Amino acid sequence: MTTVALLSAAVFVAMACVVLAMLLCTVRLLLGPTAQDRVLALDTLWMCVMLLSLVLGIRDASQIYFEAALMIALVGFVSTMAMAKFLLRGEVIE
Amino acid sequence: MTGAESLSWWAAVPIALLLVLGGLVTVIGALGLVRLQDFYQRIHGPAIAITLGAGCILLASMLYFTLSQSRLVIHEVLISLFVLMTAPVVAMLIMRAGVYRDLRNRSERAGTGDTSAPD
Amino acid sequence: MKRWLPSPALSVSLMLMWLMLNGSVEPAHWLLGGVLGIVAPLLSRPLQPHGYAVLRKPMALVRLLCFSAIEIVRSCINVSQIILMRRAVRVNSQFIRVPLDLRSPHGLALLSCLINTTPGTVWVDLLPAKHELLLHVFDLHSEAWWVETIKTRYERPIMEVFEHPVSRGELS
């Protein structure tokens, strides 16, 4: 077993785990009895997508995925804030 | 996996361990989101995925690019700083939204306008 | 100096952020980062209602951050154990109230970040009547222990970092 094989296996395990986490989040997103549960699940889903793009960056040895991950983190934060604010006030901008 | 051929064992093993650990912690966090009973318990599940899971994978990414390109690649620090600064804000706002909506539902059911602190 | 560089630490960290984003240490990037570090704080000053934070004891801040990093890893392990092992019905989730002496807005912001980043605790609100913190704890075993930990381990170092020694005596 070489280092390349070891790293490929580790990347595969990490990707499988993150995808499984995304599926669990989707379950909560669809089930979620209340609106705040759905927002929480969606926020976790954004985080998992960010982690997935980092792992893909390691698999392809490419720096492009870093920018994608940064953008996903930024957009995820803003959208979750907007949704939580909407739940709190009934409007996004006061 | 270009560039990985040049990695030695002492570099590849920690990266692999961090990746697997990060993935497992993320799954546990998401499992908490599904398994726990009510919203106030569920909000604690993703916190471990955000701190430890993201931390492990970001550290693995930093180590991998630094060692395989043999120059310092630490721009993942930016993502971890950003996540550490924004995740608490998100958690606090979602928690507040949950508490507010619960109180509003309760007071609508009771027919009073009381929206003070819970318990 | 004070007028053009309201917060030197902020300017330096903005420049470092620019260098990391570009991943190079060429002179051109130093120059652009320097311009960013000078212009961005000046432009965003009206957005800061409380002004820029002044760190009185940087070493105390570093010690606090190290302590909370260890605390984060420890409570990650605890929360994972509870999620994996225990029946969800038997988790004792509670709201607790912690009376706070800390008044500085920057200190409160740092305290809320540290508490929320630690898995197992979420900051809900600051009750303005008695300046109490409403906190949600995932698995509560003793309320007094939590109040004690937050008061001595988190609040006291933050007060050392952000507040005047004099004003603290006046307020509390």
Side-chain angles (χ1 to χ4, degrees), chain C:
Chain C
M1 181 69 190
K2 196 74 190 163
R3 196 171 149 205
W4 292 105
L5 277 178
S7 166
L10 181 67
S11 303
V12 169
S13 43
L14 272 170
M15 191 170 76
L16 284 179
M17 186 202 81
W18 181 259
L19 290 179
M20 268 192 218
L21 214 49
N22 284 293
S24 78
V25 282
E26 284 168 28
H29 288 305
W30 283 94
L31 192 65
L32 275 171
V35 170
L36 182 74
I38 291 170
V39 170
L42 287 178
L43 288 179
S44 64
R45 188 148 52 174
L47 298 174
Q48 300 261 7
H50 300 291
Y52 291 109
V54 181
L55 301 180
R56 287 178 206 286
K57 288 185 182 170
M59 280 322 288
L61 185 66
V62 171
R63 227 177 300 132
L64 174 69
L65 291 181
C66 289
F67 166 75
S68 43
I70 297 167
E71 195 66 14
I72 284 169
V73 174
R74 212 175 55 80
S75 48
C76 268
I77 296 167
N78 284 344
V79 173
S80 324
Q81 269 178 352
I82 292 172
I83 290 176
L84 288 177
M85 312 280 181
R86 215 185 299 180
R87 287 282 175 82
V89 191
R90 300 196 4 230
V91 181
N92 181 21
S93 301
Q94 293 277 330
F95 286 97
I96 62 171
R97 287 161 191 248
V98 183
L100 287 183
D101 297 323
L102 180 68
R103 302 282 159 156
S104 143
H106 297 109
L108 286 170
L110 179 63
L111 182 65
S112 69
C113 272
L114 291 180
I115 285 178
N116 273 353
T117 316
T118 312
T121 47
V122 175
W123 168 300
V124 183
D125 211 343
L126 204 59
L127 304 174
K130 280 151 78 185
H131 203 69
E132 279 178 328
L133 159 66
L134 187 63
L135 195 68
H136 187 261
V137 182
F138 183 48
D139 190 28
L140 186 73
H141 47 90
S142 128
E143 187 174 339
W145 184 84
W146 275 106
V147 174
E148 168 77 17
T149 309
I150 285 173
K151 296 286 294 179
T152 57
R153 294 301 186 84
Y154 288 101
E155 193 189 5
R156 199 170 297 159
I158 290 176
M159 281 166 87
E160 276 177 28
V161 173
F162 284 105
E163 290 193 346
H164 294 279
V166 187
S167 73
R168 194 197 308 170
E170 283 168 2
L171 282 167
S172 59

Side-chain angles (χ1 to χ4, degrees), chain B residues 1-112:
Chain B
M1 306 231 22
T2 47
E5 296 82 10
S6 56
L7 285 181
S8 56
W9 278 102
W10 61 264
V13 170
I15 295 172
L17 281 179
L18 279 172
L19 274 174
V20 172
L21 184 68
L24 286 178
V25 169
T26 312
V27 163
I28 294 173
L31 194 68
L33 198 65
V34 172
R35 250 199 81 189
L36 294 172
Q37 286 292 310
D38 65 342
F39 168 72
Y40 299 115
Q41 291 183 1
R42 277 193 284 255
I43 200 168
H44 298 290
I48 57 173
I50 286 168
T51 53
L52 203 61
C56 284
I57 289 182
L58 285 162
L59 202 59
S61 174
M62 258 190 276
L63 273 177
Y64 174 74
F65 284 114
T66 302
L67 292 171
S68 69
Q69 301 186 358
S70 45
R71 69 190 179 92
L72 201 59
V73 183
I74 50 165
H75 54 199
E76 278 86 354
V77 172
L78 287 177
I79 294 187
S80 37
L81 276 181
F82 182 77
V83 166
L84 282 180
M85 275 155 80
T86 58
V89 182
V90 166
M92 181 162 69
L93 211 65
I94 296 181
M95 191 69 174
R96 252 182 220 187
V99 169
Y100 171 75
R101 286 170 72 87
D102 271 1
L103 287 173
R104 203 182 53 186
N105 288 343
R106 204 185 296 165
S107 69
E108 269 172 12
R109 236 176 282 137
T112 60

